[in-house]
Amino acid sequence: MLAKRIIPCLDVKDGTTVKGVNFVNFRDAGDPVELGRQYSEAGADELVFLDITATYEGRKTFVDVVRRIAAGISIPFTVGGGINELKDVETMLNAGADKVSVNSAALKNPQLISDIAQNFGSQVCVCAIDAKEGLPGDWTCYVAGGHIPTGRKLFEWAKEAQERGAGEILFTSMNHDGVKCGYANQALARLHDELSIPIIASGGAGKIEDFREAFAIGHADAALAASVFHFGEIKITELKDYLRKQNICVR
Amino acid sequence: MNIAIVKYNAGNIYSVVHALRRLGVEPVVTDDPAVLSSADKVIFPGVGEASTTMAYLQASGLDRLITSLKQPVLGICLGMQLMCRHSEEGDVGCLGIFPIDVKRFEPQPGLKIPHMGWNQIHALKSPLFAATAENEFVYFVHSYYVPLCDNTAAVSDYPGPFSAALHKDNFYATQFHPEKSGGIGEAILRQFIAL
């Protein structure tokens, strides 16, 4: 049976991890390469590394980080942040990334998704969407790290991304992100109903039950979280034991 | 141990290189027929589209070379599909090592395509799985599949059973990515290296 995936997300700035991480026996909490290895050994099914560096020099550092991550882990990993054109995708894949996630650049230029799918295959292209719910059920997409609203709506943009060849949707609810009260399960369930590609839930994980609900109610294929893993509030092995007992298939 | 990885117009060669290095083997990535023919083992990886990749293999003569190899060969993902007779992806004739045709997953309600993520393998029968228990999870990413056949060496289900691995003579192949399948995948690669 296809397992539900648990995906820790790491923000990397100028080559170091931004959020502190509370692993036991951890030598360098700031080193994304070491962190990636720790998560991989702890049972993470996949990793997402987001480059939040603004400078050109910092970006070059990130490519080197990606190369070292690829050398150290034996699970798939996605790289996002600052992917604006095909050349960026090629750079990341050549450094050893398995997938890239595109967000703002794809909303500005949807053709980017088609180009990635045609040149590298759909499995490489994760379309990340940050959206905020206004009136119930009315979700607006935001760009620039959730700062700028666009005219696009979540469900129609997700569908367009799928039609253009995106292999997965990584949906972050801005209403839920950081609140730690669970994922946006209704919107996730609607994405599941309307799309035929895998959906990654993001934003809102606070306790292990939240993951169960993202899978059981939201029908998500994967759940992504950052701080609950980084600060050791939730251990991946314990989370998976719990999900298994709840009859949710995990690795 | 001299392991050669077939270099062609497909992605994800680097993850195979990294995985072998973690096992203490430094592979050669090459499209040189002499180097490939004389290697102890050959890995034929691949992420890409079948018909464009076949066109490339034919133009470069690698198609005839791969089918003529006598040492253990391991095809991975698209590599496995290209070792079959025909693929629905681009309706293209393939290498014909395994006498079976590659099909597309039929869209049906609730079935996500591509089949992406960790799934279990069972009915294991190949030296590749000498150190692998039944029903372990490995990582898949694919929209086309190889039906069950005489050469099926492992089975996975999505939703129906399909070939997760093939084996015939010196040719081995996995639909999943052992290089991305954690410790389970490393054990499978280690068995291939030890063949």
Side-chain angles (χ1 to χ4, degrees):
Chain A
M1 200 174 168
L2 187 64
K4 301 290 189 182
R5 288 171 281 157
I6 302 295
I7 308 179
C9 175
L10 294 100
D11 289 344
V12 180
K13 188 180 184 186
D14 300 320
T16 53
T17 313
V18 174
K19 284 175 185 162
V21 178
N22 194 13
F23 272 116
V24 186
N25 298 329
F26 201 64
R27 277 170 297 176
D28 181 2
D31 180 5
V33 177
E34 184 59 27
L35 249 178
R37 198 176 297 139
Q38 294 270 349
Y39 275 128
S40 174
E41 282 165 17
D45 296 307
E46 208 167 312
L47 294 169
V48 171
F49 292 87
L50 285 183
D51 183 19
I52 57 168
T53 309
T55 64
Y56 176 71
E57 281 304 309
R59 290 230 183 277
K60 280 205 296 192
T61 307
F62 186 65
V63 175
D64 181 54
V65 168
V66 170
R67 196 170 287 120
R68 291 190 294 126
I69 290 165
I73 63 172
S74 53
I75 58 172
F77 76 104
T78 302
V79 166
I83 305 286
N84 292 313
E85 51 184 7
L86 276 187
K87 199 168 160 294
D88 300 326
V89 179
E90 196 173 355
T91 302
M92 291 307 170
L93 296 181
N94 285 341
D98 298 289
K99 310 176 191 178
V100 295
S101 103
V102 290
N103 193 335
S104 302
L107 270 164
K108 279 178 214 142
N109 171 27
Q111 181 65 27
L112 180 61
I113 292 175
S114 319
D115 290 345
I116 295 172
Q118 274 156 26
N119 281 275
F120 304 105
S122 287
Q123 79 286 343
V124 159
C125 185
V126 180
C127 180
I129 306 177
D130 297 334
K132 191 186 246 178
E133 188 177 31
L135 293 169
D138 182 36
W139 292 83
T140 300
C141 302
Y142 279 64
V143 293
H147 289 297
I148 305 169
T150 67
R152 301 298 303 259
K153 297 297 179 185
L154 168 64
F155 300 104
E156 56 100 4
W157 169 232
K159 259 180 266 181
E160 179 179 340
Q162 170 178 294
E163 279 155 21
R164 286 182 175 276
E168 283 176 290
I169 301 289
L170 197 180
F171 160 53
T172 302
S173 161
M174 295 169 57
N175 303 66
H176 297 73
D177 198 25
V179 183
K180 295 193 169 191
C181 286
Y183 293 92
N185 296 320
Q186 283 183 337
L188 284 167
R190 189 168 159 197
L191 284 170
H192 167 80
D193 287 343
E194 296 189 7
L195 273 66
S196 59
I197 55 176
I199 312 291
I200 304 168
S202 163
K207 52 190 189 304
I208 53 175
E209 291 82 0
D210 297 337
F211 289 85
R212 188 195 73 81
E213 289 180 1
F215 296 134
I217 300 170
H219 301 289
D221 299 279
L224 176 145
S227 59
V228 289
F229 295 137
H230 298 337
F231 295 111
E233 293 161 27
I234 293 178
K235 301 268 191 299
I236 293 175
T237 44
E238 289 166 16
L239 171 60
K240 287 195 166 180
D241 284 344
Y242 164 79
L243 291 171
R244 237 173 253 123
K245 281 180 197 142
Q246 300 293 317
N247 288 322
I248 289 169
C249 179
V250 289
R251 178 171 72 106
Chain B
M1 175 60 59
N2 173 2
I3 294 190
I5 297 175
V6 182
K7 182 181 175 183
Y8 66 113
N9 65 333
N12 270 40
I13 284 175
Y14 296 92
S15 54
V16 178
V17 172
H18 287 309
L20 292 172
R21 281 182 185 153
R22 283 193 295 274
L23 297 174
V25 175
E26 183 63 40
V28 187
V29 180
T30 182
D31 56 4
D32 183 334
V35 177
L36 288 168
S37 299
S38 64
D40 297 325
K41 309 255 158 62
V42 173
I43 296 181
F44 180 40
V47 170
E49 196 273 333
S51 64
T52 49
T53 309
M54 271 313 296
Y56 180 91
L57 292 175
Q58 282 157 354
S60 61
L62 283 169
D63 59 335
R64 288 185 304 278
L65 179 85
I66 291 167
T67 49
S68 72
L69 292 171
K70 299 287 178 255
Q71 64 273 60
V73 177
L74 176 64
I76 298 174
C77 197
L78 178 65
M80 162 163 141
Q81 297 187 357
L82 294 177
M83 288 159 81
C84 297
R85 189 170 50 200
H86 176 273
S87 176
E88 272 186 11
E89 187 177 27
D91 187 19
V92 66
C94 299
L95 299 176
I97 294 166
F98 301 112
I100 181 82
D101 298 342
V102 182
K103 307 281 182 206
R104 192 172 206 285
F105 282 117
E106 281 296 321
Q108 50 181 280
L111 188 76
K112 306 286 176 87
I113 300 172
H115 171 223
M116 176 185 288
W118 298 80
N119 205 336
Q120 288 162 296
I121 50 173
H122 58 89
L124 309 177
K125 49 168 190 184
S126 151
L128 277 190
F129 305 113
T132 308
E134 293 279 319
N135 298 316
E136 292 283 12
F137 283 93
V138 291
Y139 187 76
F140 290 87
V141 183
H142 59 125
S143 299
Y144 293 79
Y145 71 96
V146 178
L148 298 186
C149 62
D150 290 346
N151 300 125
T152 299
V155 177
S156 190
D157 301 283
Y158 193 72
F162 68 90
S163 295
L166 299 171
H167 174 209
K168 182 189 172 194
D169 306 325
N170 59 317
F171 292 100
Y172 300 79
T174 62
Q175 179 61 66
F176 57 89
H177 289 271
E179 77 282 11
K180 285 286 157 190
S181 295
I184 302 299
E186 284 183 354
I188 293 166
L189 286 175
R190 207 175 277 123
Q191 290 300 319
F192 177 70
I193 292 168
L195 281 175

Coordinates of all heavy atoms in Angstrom, one line a residue, chain A residues 47 49 62-79 88-100 124, chain B residues 11-19 22 179-180:
Chain A
L47 N 12.5 15.2 2.2 CA 12.9 16.5 2.8 C 12.6 17.6 1.9 O 12.7 17.4 0.6 CB 14.3 16.5 3.2 CG 14.8 15.5 4.3 CD1 16.3 15.4 4.4 CD2 14.2 15.9 5.7
F49 N 14.0 21.5 1.3 CA 14.9 22.6 1.7 C 14.5 23.9 0.9 O 14.5 23.9 -0.3 CB 16.3 22.2 1.3 CG 16.9 21.1 2.1 CD1 16.7 19.8 1.7 CD2 17.6 21.3 3.3 CE1 17.2 18.7 2.5 CE2 18.1 20.3 4.1 CZ 17.9 19.0 3.6
F62 N 24.1 28.0 -1.6 CA 23.0 27.0 -1.4 C 23.2 25.9 -2.4 O 22.9 24.7 -2.1 CB 21.6 27.7 -1.7 CG 20.5 26.8 -1.5 CD1 20.2 26.4 -0.2 CD2 19.6 26.5 -2.5 CE1 19.1 25.6 0.0 CE2 18.5 25.7 -2.3 CZ 18.3 25.2 -1.0
V63 N 23.7 26.1 -3.6 CA 23.9 25.1 -4.6 C 24.9 24.1 -4.0 O 24.8 22.9 -4.1 CB 24.4 25.6 -5.9 CG1 24.8 24.5 -6.9 CG2 23.3 26.5 -6.5
D64 N 25.9 24.6 -3.3 CA 26.9 23.7 -2.7 C 26.3 22.9 -1.6 O 26.6 21.7 -1.4 CB 28.1 24.6 -2.2 CG 29.1 23.7 -1.6 OD1 29.6 22.8 -2.2 OD2 29.5 23.9 -0.4
V65 N 25.4 23.6 -0.8 CA 24.7 22.8 0.2 C 23.9 21.7 -0.3 O 23.9 20.6 0.2 CB 23.8 23.8 1.0 CG1 22.8 23.0 2.0 CG2 24.6 24.8 1.9
V66 N 23.2 22.0 -1.4 CA 22.3 20.9 -2.1 C 23.2 19.8 -2.5 O 22.8 18.6 -2.3 CB 21.6 21.5 -3.3 CG1 20.9 20.4 -4.2 CG2 20.6 22.5 -2.9
R67 N 24.4 20.1 -3.1 CA 25.3 19.0 -3.5 C 25.7 18.2 -2.3 O 25.7 16.9 -2.4 CB 26.5 19.7 -4.1 CG 27.4 18.7 -4.9 CD 28.4 19.5 -5.8 NE 27.8 20.2 -6.9 CZ 27.9 21.5 -7.1 NH1 28.6 22.3 -6.2 NH2 27.4 22.1 -8.1
R68 N 26.0 18.8 -1.2 CA 26.4 18.0 0.0 C 25.3 17.3 0.6 O 25.4 16.2 1.2 CB 27.1 19.0 1.0 CG 28.5 19.5 0.5 CD 29.3 20.2 1.5 NE 28.6 21.4 2.0 CZ 28.3 21.7 3.2 NH1 28.6 20.9 4.2 NH2 27.8 22.9 3.5
I69 N 24.0 17.8 0.6 CA 22.9 17.1 1.1 C 22.7 15.8 0.2 O 22.5 14.7 0.8 CB 21.6 18.0 1.0 CG1 21.6 19.1 2.0 CG2 20.3 17.1 1.2 CD1 20.6 20.2 1.7
A70 N 22.8 16.0 -1.1 CA 22.6 14.8 -2.0 C 23.6 13.7 -1.7 O 23.2 12.5 -1.8 CB 22.7 15.3 -3.4
A71 N 24.8 14.1 -1.3 CA 25.8 13.1 -1.0 C 25.5 12.3 0.2 O 25.9 11.2 0.4 CB 27.2 13.8 -0.9
G72 N 24.7 13.0 1.2 CA 24.6 12.4 2.5 C 23.3 11.6 2.7 O 23.2 10.9 3.7
I73 N 22.3 11.8 1.9 CA 21.0 11.2 2.3 C 20.5 10.3 1.2 O 20.8 10.5 0.0 CB 19.9 12.2 2.6 CG1 19.5 13.1 1.4 CG2 20.2 13.1 3.8 CD1 18.3 14.0 1.6
S74 N 19.7 9.3 1.6 CA 19.3 8.3 0.6 C 17.7 8.3 0.5 O 17.1 7.3 0.2 CB 19.7 6.9 1.0 OG 19.3 6.6 2.3
I75 N 17.1 9.5 0.7 CA 15.7 9.6 0.5 C 15.5 10.8 -0.5 O 16.5 11.7 -0.6 CB 14.9 9.9 1.8 CG1 15.5 11.1 2.5 CG2 15.0 8.6 2.7 CD1 14.6 11.5 3.7
P76 N 14.4 11.0 -1.1 CA 14.2 12.1 -2.1 C 14.2 13.4 -1.4 O 13.7 13.5 -0.2 CB 12.8 11.8 -2.6 CG 12.4 10.4 -2.2 CD 13.2 10.1 -1.0
F77 N 14.6 14.4 -2.0 CA 14.5 15.8 -1.5 C 14.2 16.8 -2.5 O 14.6 16.7 -3.7 CB 15.7 16.2 -0.6 CG 16.9 16.5 -1.3 CD1 17.3 17.9 -1.4 CD2 17.8 15.6 -1.8 CE1 18.5 18.2 -2.0 CE2 19.0 15.9 -2.4 CZ 19.3 17.2 -2.5
T78 N 13.4 17.8 -2.1 CA 12.9 18.9 -2.9 C 13.6 20.2 -2.5 O 13.9 20.4 -1.3 CB 11.4 19.0 -2.7 OG1 10.8 17.8 -3.0 CG2 10.8 20.2 -3.6
V79 N 13.9 21.0 -3.5 CA 14.6 22.3 -3.2 C 13.7 23.4 -3.8 O 13.1 23.3 -4.9 CB 15.9 22.3 -3.9 CG1 16.5 23.7 -4.0 CG2 16.9 21.4 -3.2
D88 N 17.7 27.5 -13.4 CA 17.7 27.3 -11.9 C 17.4 25.8 -11.6 O 18.0 25.2 -10.8 CB 16.7 28.2 -11.2 CG 17.0 29.7 -11.4 OD1 18.2 30.0 -11.5 OD2 16.1 30.5 -11.5
V89 N 16.4 25.3 -12.4 CA 16.0 23.9 -12.2 C 17.2 23.0 -12.5 O 17.5 22.1 -11.8 CB 14.8 23.6 -13.1 CG1 14.4 22.1 -12.9 CG2 13.6 24.5 -12.8
E90 N 17.8 23.2 -13.7 CA 18.9 22.4 -14.1 C 20.0 22.4 -13.1 O 20.6 21.4 -12.8 CB 19.4 22.9 -15.5 CG 20.2 21.9 -16.2 CD 20.6 22.3 -17.6 OE1 20.1 23.4 -18.1 OE2 21.4 21.6 -18.2
T91 N 20.3 23.6 -12.6 CA 21.4 23.8 -11.6 C 21.1 22.9 -10.4 O 22.0 22.2 -9.9 CB 21.5 25.2 -11.1 OG1 21.8 26.0 -12.3 CG2 22.7 25.4 -10.1
M92 N 19.9 22.9 -9.9 CA 19.5 22.2 -8.7 C 19.5 20.7 -9.0 O 20.0 19.9 -8.1 CB 18.1 22.6 -8.2 CG 18.1 24.0 -7.6 SD 19.4 24.2 -6.3 CE 19.3 25.9 -6.0
L93 N 19.0 20.2 -10.1 CA 19.0 18.8 -10.4 C 20.4 18.3 -10.6 O 20.8 17.2 -10.1 CB 18.2 18.5 -11.7 CG 16.7 18.9 -11.6 CD1 16.0 18.5 -12.9 CD2 16.0 18.1 -10.4
N94 N 21.3 19.1 -11.2 CA 22.6 18.7 -11.4 C 23.4 18.6 -10.1 O 24.4 17.9 -9.9 CB 23.4 19.6 -12.4 CG 23.0 19.3 -13.8 OD1 22.5 18.3 -14.1 ND2 23.2 20.3 -14.7
A95 N 22.9 19.4 -9.1 CA 23.6 19.4 -7.8 C 23.0 18.1 -7.0 O 23.6 17.8 -5.9 CB 23.3 20.6 -7.0
G96 N 22.0 17.5 -7.5 CA 21.5 16.3 -6.8 C 20.1 16.3 -6.3 O 19.6 15.4 -5.7
A97 N 19.4 17.5 -6.4 CA 18.0 17.5 -6.0 C 17.2 16.6 -6.8 O 17.5 16.4 -8.0 CB 17.5 19.0 -6.1
D98 N 16.1 16.1 -6.2 CA 15.2 15.2 -7.0 C 14.0 16.0 -7.6 O 13.5 15.6 -8.6 CB 14.6 14.1 -6.1 CG 15.7 13.2 -5.6 OD1 16.3 12.5 -6.4 OD2 16.1 13.3 -4.4
K99 N 13.6 17.0 -6.8 CA 12.5 17.8 -7.3 C 12.8 19.3 -7.0 O 13.6 19.6 -6.1 CB 11.2 17.5 -6.5 CG 10.9 16.0 -6.5 CD 9.6 15.7 -5.6 CE 9.5 14.3 -5.3 NZ 8.3 14.0 -4.5
V100 N 12.1 20.2 -7.7 CA 12.2 21.6 -7.3 C 10.7 22.1 -7.1 O 9.8 21.6 -7.7 CB 12.8 22.5 -8.4 CG1 14.2 22.2 -8.7 CG2 12.0 22.4 -9.7
V124 N 9.5 16.1 -11.3 CA 10.4 17.0 -10.8 C 9.7 18.3 -10.3 O 10.3 19.0 -9.5 CB 11.4 17.4 -12.0 CG1 12.1 18.7 -11.7 CG2 12.5 16.3 -12.1
Chain B
G11 N 17.9 12.3 -16.4 CA 18.3 12.9 -15.1 C 18.6 11.9 -14.1 O 18.6 10.7 -14.3
N12 N 18.9 12.3 -12.9 CA 19.1 11.5 -11.7 C 20.2 10.5 -11.7 O 20.2 9.5 -11.0 CB 17.8 10.8 -11.3 CG 16.9 11.7 -10.4 OD1 16.9 12.9 -10.6 ND2 16.4 11.1 -9.4
I13 N 21.2 10.8 -12.6 CA 22.4 9.9 -12.6 C 23.2 10.2 -11.3 O 23.8 9.3 -10.7 CB 23.2 10.2 -13.8 CG1 22.5 9.5 -15.0 CG2 24.7 9.7 -13.6 CD1 23.2 9.8 -16.4
Y14 N 23.1 11.5 -10.8 CA 23.9 11.9 -9.7 C 23.5 11.1 -8.4 O 24.3 10.8 -7.6 CB 23.8 13.4 -9.5 CG 24.4 14.1 -10.7 CD1 23.7 14.5 -11.7 CD2 25.8 14.3 -10.7 CE1 24.2 15.1 -12.8 CE2 26.4 14.9 -11.8 CZ 25.6 15.3 -12.9 OH 26.2 15.9 -14.0
S15 N 22.2 10.9 -8.2 CA 21.7 10.2 -7.0 C 22.3 8.8 -7.0 O 22.5 8.3 -5.9 CB 20.2 10.3 -6.8 OG 19.6 9.8 -8.0
V16 N 22.4 8.2 -8.1 CA 22.9 6.8 -8.2 C 24.4 6.9 -7.8 O 24.9 6.0 -7.1 CB 22.7 6.2 -9.6 CG1 23.4 4.8 -9.6 CG2 21.2 6.1 -9.9
V17 N 25.1 7.9 -8.4 CA 26.5 8.0 -8.1 C 26.7 8.2 -6.5 O 27.6 7.5 -5.9 CB 27.1 9.3 -8.8 CG1 28.5 9.5 -8.3 CG2 27.1 9.0 -10.3
H18 N 25.9 9.1 -6.0 CA 26.1 9.4 -4.5 C 25.8 8.1 -3.7 O 26.5 7.8 -2.7 CB 25.1 10.5 -4.1 CG 25.5 11.8 -4.5 ND1 26.7 12.3 -4.3 CD2 24.8 12.8 -5.2 CE1 26.8 13.6 -4.8 NE2 25.6 13.9 -5.3
A19 N 24.8 7.3 -4.1 CA 24.4 6.1 -3.4 C 25.5 5.1 -3.4 O 25.9 4.5 -2.4 CB 23.1 5.5 -4.0
R22 N 28.3 6.1 -1.1 CA 28.0 5.8 0.3 C 28.3 4.3 0.6 O 28.6 4.0 1.7 CB 26.6 6.1 0.6 CG 26.3 7.6 0.8 CD 24.9 7.9 1.4 NE 23.9 7.5 0.5 CZ 23.3 8.2 -0.4 NH1 23.8 9.5 -0.6 NH2 22.3 7.8 -1.2
E179 N 18.3 3.8 -5.0 CA 19.2 4.9 -4.6 C 18.5 6.0 -3.8 O 19.1 6.8 -3.2 CB 19.9 5.5 -5.8 CG 19.1 6.5 -6.6 CD 18.1 5.8 -7.6 OE1 17.9 4.6 -7.5 OE2 17.6 6.6 -8.5
K180 N 17.2 5.9 -3.7 CA 16.4 6.9 -2.9 C 15.5 6.1 -1.9 O 14.6 6.7 -1.4 CB 15.5 7.6 -3.9 CG 16.2 8.7 -4.7 CD 16.6 9.9 -3.9 CE 17.7 10.6 -4.5 NZ 18.2 11.7 -3.5

